[in-house]
Amino acid sequence: MRRLIVLPTSRAGWGLLVAFVALVLAGTWPVIGWVNRATLVMGLPLMVVWSYLIIFACVAVMLVGNHIVERDDHE
């Protein structure tokens, strides 16, 4: 029988899972409520800057994950 959820088997995999879950939680309502202020950062509202940070951090986590998967495939 196939497993519905596949858990990581390495320390790097667990680290990536924790990083991705932290980023997902950083984009949910309680955290958004904390950064939703009338403050400008480099001319942009704080909410927009926070959204950009989450998007770029997700891209970085996915790039690291792809690098780890490629490294494991070659071994």
Side-chain angles (χ1 to χ4, degrees):
M1 186 166 137
R2 299 177 106 180
R3 295 179 85 177
L4 183 61
I5 297 174
V6 179
L7 297 175
T9 57
S10 67
R11 182 175 289 205
W14 281 105
L16 286 170
L17 177 65
V18 168
F20 187 73
V21 168
L23 285 169
V24 169
L25 291 176
T28 59
W29 175 245
V31 178
I32 291 173
W34 297 333
V35 297
N36 192 11
R37 309 237 186 270
T39 305
L40 293 179
V41 178
M42 297 183 294
L44 295 171
L46 183 59
M47 186 69 170
V48 173
V49 173
W50 182 252
S51 299
Y52 286 157
L53 286 174
I54 290 175
I55 290 168
F56 290 128
C58 283
V59 169
V61 168
M62 287 186 238
L63 287 173
V64 170
N66 285 339
H67 179 72
I68 290 173
V69 167
E70 287 177 1
R71 184 185 65 197
D72 289 343
D73 283 345
H74 294 302
E75 290 179 358

